Amino acid sequence: MSERSEKPAVSIIMPCYNTEKYIKKTMCSIFAQTFKDYEIIMVDDGSTDSTPKLLDAYEKDHPEIIRVFHKENGGQSTARNLALDQARGEYVLFWDSDDYADVDYLEPLVCAARDNNSDVVISGSHYVDEDGVIIENLNYPIDRYPNYPLRRLAPHGKLYRLDFLNRHNIRFEPGKLYEDNPFNFMALFLGRNQVILPYARHYQVVHPGSSMSSRVTSEKVPYNAIESALDYINAHRDEVNDHDVYVFTVLSFMTYFIFLGNREHMQAALHKYKGCKYEGALINELCDFAQRVIPQKLPGYNKNPYVGIFRSRELQLRHRAGVWLFVKLLRTHTLKAFARCYYLFVR
């Protein structure tokens, strides 16, 4: 599997913004892959450091596999979407410009996709700090738990068939936080012959002052994209590969977003921005959205077989308990009141 072709097997999509410090390690990691039939589409998203010159140098040195595009700053989503429109590969893979991977990361993904005629192949990944110390392992232990229901919605560690993404017009919502989630609601559950690999060979570097310190505002929450994704999936219900896992994934995401993700953003912003306060209006808005959308788009959500403190024991207790409580709060219309009290005690 080492021959290159005019139409590569994989388009590696890499948005780049002020990445001069990390790009060399990232590119060495790609060049060291055992699988070689790829192109790399690098999109400079209006960088203000030496990143544009570095990318142009890589393209000059490797014109047969690297294409570089320069654009005004518009965020990671616009860079990824531009690259998706330019991709020529049978499959696409998202690789951030500061990430790296084991040398045998890519080859098993492609082999699994080809052997199973898959639209999507999933593997795990690691969060690491700048010194390479693992912060969190994001694994899929399906070798031990074949019915493992957790699906992580970040694009890292995943391979997607390009024709499948184009057929369903699956793209990233520009200018939002958590824009990966509506993208992967559609990709993970409309994909045919999905394969999950029980390994993690991709390393996502987490930097101090990353996007987690950004303030969440109404304008940054992808409400419309989430609702549109759920509507689209409902309209293609006969194509959903595992409806119960899909519903559990949406419930898990909303639980995390309201009670953990948004809290982490708020706490980081309190330390970063002078005079920053908890935004009660945003908490109300998030809860109102969940209270309206979940029963409407996911009828029967409360009967999902994965929801329950004593079910899906392969998941952490806090995950099981959190989703179970979220469902109870939705059913009793007490989500907003509970969330407001919750935020009084987590400051």
Side-chain angles (χ1 to χ4, degrees):
M1 300 183 68
S2 60
E3 295 296 324
R4 293 194 179 101
S5 59
E6 292 185 4
K7 181 178 180 179
V10 179
S11 294
I12 297 175
I13 290 177
M14 183 182 297
C16 304
Y17 178 73
N18 290 352
T19 191
E20 62 181 7
K21 181 179 177 182
Y22 310 101
I23 191 67
K24 181 177 180 180
K25 181 176 182 179
T26 297
M27 296 305 293
C28 286
S29 178
I30 295 177
F31 292 150
Q33 290 296 304
T34 58
F35 184 86
K36 302 295 184 182
D37 187 9
Y38 57 74
E39 67 171 352
I40 308 170
I41 304 177
M42 310 173 80
V43 181
D44 167 42
D45 188 37
S47 297
T48 57
D49 63 1
S50 64
T51 296
K53 293 181 179 179
L54 293 172
L55 301 190
D56 288 341
Y58 277 114
E59 184 179 36
K60 182 179 179 181
D61 291 341
H62 305 277
E64 73 282 4
I65 61 169
I66 293 179
R67 289 187 288 152
V68 172
F69 298 88
H70 299 277
K71 60 184 284 297
E72 294 183 357
N73 181 257
Q76 185 168 247
S77 290
T78 59
R80 285 175 174 168
N81 288 343
L82 186 157
L84 281 169
D85 291 340
Q86 296 294 329
R88 299 180 299 204
E90 182 179 1
Y91 303 97
V92 297
L93 179 138
F94 299 100
W95 196 311
D96 290 349
S97 57
D98 50 4
D99 293 353
Y100 56 94
D102 295 335
V103 297
D104 56 349
Y105 163 57
L106 186 54
E107 187 161 358
L109 290 170
V110 179
C111 287
R114 287 176 166 171
D115 290 347
N116 296 278
N117 192 26
S118 302
D119 287 335
V120 180
V121 180
I122 301 172
S123 70
S125 61
H126 306 279
Y127 287 146
V128 299
D129 65 18
E130 291 182 324
D131 296 321
V133 177
I134 293 177
I135 299 171
E136 185 178 1
N137 294 307
L138 308 175
N139 298 314
Y140 290 93
I142 61 163
D143 49 343
R144 289 179 290 151
Y145 306 108
N147 297 319
Y148 190 70
L150 185 59
R151 299 290 183 271
R152 296 179 173 88
L153 297 171
H156 308 94
K158 300 177 177 68
L159 187 75
Y160 308 85
R161 191 194 303 272
L162 180 59
D163 285 347
F164 158 70
L165 296 180
N166 290 339
R167 185 170 70 253
H168 291 287
N169 193 30
I170 301 175
R171 291 296 188 268
F172 295 92
E173 181 74 4
K176 306 293 183 180
L177 295 169
Y178 296 96
E179 74 282 1
D180 300 339
N181 297 282
F183 179 97
N184 270 318
F185 284 151
M186 295 176 65
L188 297 190
F189 296 103
L190 294 175
R192 296 167 299 184
N193 304 324
Q194 185 180 108
V195 176
I196 302 177
L197 301 176
Y199 73 73
R201 296 171 186 167
H202 173 272
Y203 301 84
Q204 184 181 359
V205 181
V206 179
H207 306 290
S210 66
S211 61
M212 280 309 301
S213 62
S214 302
R215 294 183 64 182
V216 178
T217 62
S218 295
E219 294 74 23
K220 291 184 178 181
V221 180
Y223 292 120
N224 290 337
I226 293 172
E227 193 162 359
S228 294
L230 302 188
D231 283 337
Y232 190 90
I233 293 169
N234 282 339
H236 295 77
R237 172 70 183 265
D238 59 332
E239 299 180 47
V240 175
N241 53 55
D242 193 326
H243 195 266
D244 287 336
V245 173
Y246 157 63
V247 172
F248 183 74
T249 300
V250 177
L251 295 174
S252 295
F253 164 68
M254 292 304 301
T255 302
Y256 167 81
F257 188 42
I258 292 175
F259 294 110
L260 290 178
N262 183 54
R263 186 192 75 185
E264 291 171 1
H265 277 281
M266 283 188 170
Q267 289 177 330
L270 284 171
H271 290 92
K272 183 176 181 180
Y273 301 105
K274 184 178 180 180
C276 181
K277 299 179 180 180
Y278 277 92
E279 299 183 24
L282 178 61
I283 298 167
N284 288 341
E285 190 176 90
L286 292 172
C287 293
D288 286 340
F289 177 77
Q291 188 69 67
R292 176 178 64 83
V293 168
I294 297 299
Q296 182 184 95
K297 312 296 182 184
L298 305 175
Y301 69 93
N302 56 303
K303 298 179 181 178
N304 185 272
Y306 296 108
V307 174
I309 295 178
F310 301 106
R311 300 178 183 178
S312 304
R313 291 178 179 267
E314 63 271 26
L315 301 179
Q316 292 183 355
L317 176 60
R318 72 169 187 168
H319 190 136
R320 289 179 272 141
V323 177
W324 172 82
L325 178 60
F326 176 71
V327 168
K328 294 296 183 184
L329 295 171
L330 283 177
R331 290 191 64 197
T332 57
H333 293 267
T334 55
L335 176 62
K336 187 191 302 186
F338 181 90
R340 291 302 298 268
C341 292
Y342 169 82
Y343 274 95
L344 290 176
F345 293 98
V346 297
R347 301 187 181 193

